[in-house]
Amino acid sequence: MSNDFYRTSILPYAAVIIKICRAYAASQEDFEDYYQEVCLQIWRSRANFRGQCSWSTWVYRVALNVCLTLLRRKKSKGHTYFSSDALPDVVTVENGAFADEQLNQLYVAVRHLSEVDRALILLYLEEKSYGEIAEVLGTNVNNIGVRINRIKERLKKIINERFN
């Protein structure tokens, strides 16, 4: 991967990629693996970008698909720590990416959601419009608001049960 491609096509979207990877990774090591794999897949599949959506939407889709694929691989290999009942409440802190306690609580709660609900709430937290969320997830825009409200309530409940 060239430095120019990374600097111009990935780095401006690093914050989004990091958020997606954190929502699906259970440890610092997983996070680093996920981030690296997302960047690699963006580079490998860059020729597949046809301009039918914005580059940021496409990067989001690639990142989400990579994380979901890696998550499913871990599940199929017998790693069950991603199930909602077995998720760790403590995340490894090494380089600071997992250092903010309140943010860690949010990510722990988000990891208790289904894969689709995680993606939906991450898009919402990125302040994407309902139309953009529907486009990324390939769903109908009409039910996005209702689902977001239900997810927010579920997150509040998870945080209250686990951390209060």
Side-chain angles (χ1 to χ4, degrees):
M1 176 182 330
S2 74
N3 283 337
D4 287 342
F5 181 80
Y6 182 80
R7 201 173 321 110
T8 61
S9 301
I10 294 177
L11 197 55
Y13 308 97
V16 171
I17 296 169
I18 288 168
K19 287 176 186 173
I20 296 168
C21 293
R22 280 201 61 192
Y24 290 93
S27 69
Q28 181 71 30
E29 182 179 286
D30 284 345
F31 165 77
E32 291 168 3
D33 290 346
Y34 283 33
Y35 184 85
Q36 184 175 10
E37 187 64 25
V38 167
C39 292
L40 181 61
Q41 290 304 322
I42 290 169
W43 180 74
R44 283 183 178 162
S45 60
R46 67 193 182 282
N48 295 333
F49 178 67
R50 303 283 182 233
Q52 295 171 335
C53 61
S54 69
W55 178 257
S56 63
T57 298
W58 187 81
V59 165
Y60 201 100
R61 283 183 187 163
V62 171
L64 186 60
N65 287 335
V66 167
C67 289
L68 290 173
T69 298
L70 292 172
L71 178 65
R72 288 180 186 127
R73 280 187 197 154
K74 283 194 176 285
K75 282 182 179 179
S76 71
K77 290 182 181 180
H79 297 278
T80 58
Y81 57 81
F82 281 100
S83 71
S84 62
D85 294 331
L87 282 170
D89 287 336
V90 178
V91 182
T92 306
V93 178
E94 289 176 13
N95 70 6
F98 288 77
D100 182 314
E101 187 58 34
Q102 286 184 323
L103 194 55
N104 279 339
Q105 290 176 2
L106 176 60
Y107 277 104
V108 166
V110 167
R111 282 192 299 273
H112 282 77
L113 301 173
S114 71
E115 295 170 2
V116 173
D117 286 350
R118 281 185 228 179
L120 199 151
I121 200 66
L122 288 172
L123 287 163
Y124 173 78
L125 292 171
E126 281 296 314
E127 300 180 353
K128 300 290 184 187
S129 70
Y130 288 1
E132 289 172 307
I133 293 171
E135 180 182 2
V136 169
L137 298 179
T139 188
N140 188 329
V141 72
N142 294 333
N143 68 354
I144 297 294
V146 172
R147 289 187 65 187
I148 287 172
N149 286 330
R150 288 180 184 159
I151 292 167
K152 286 173 21 179
E153 289 301 316
R154 207 167 327 135
L155 287 172
K156 285 179 192 175
K157 183 178 177 187
I158 291 167
I159 289 170
N160 285 333
E161 288 174 356
R162 289 192 148 314
F163 302 107
N164 293 328

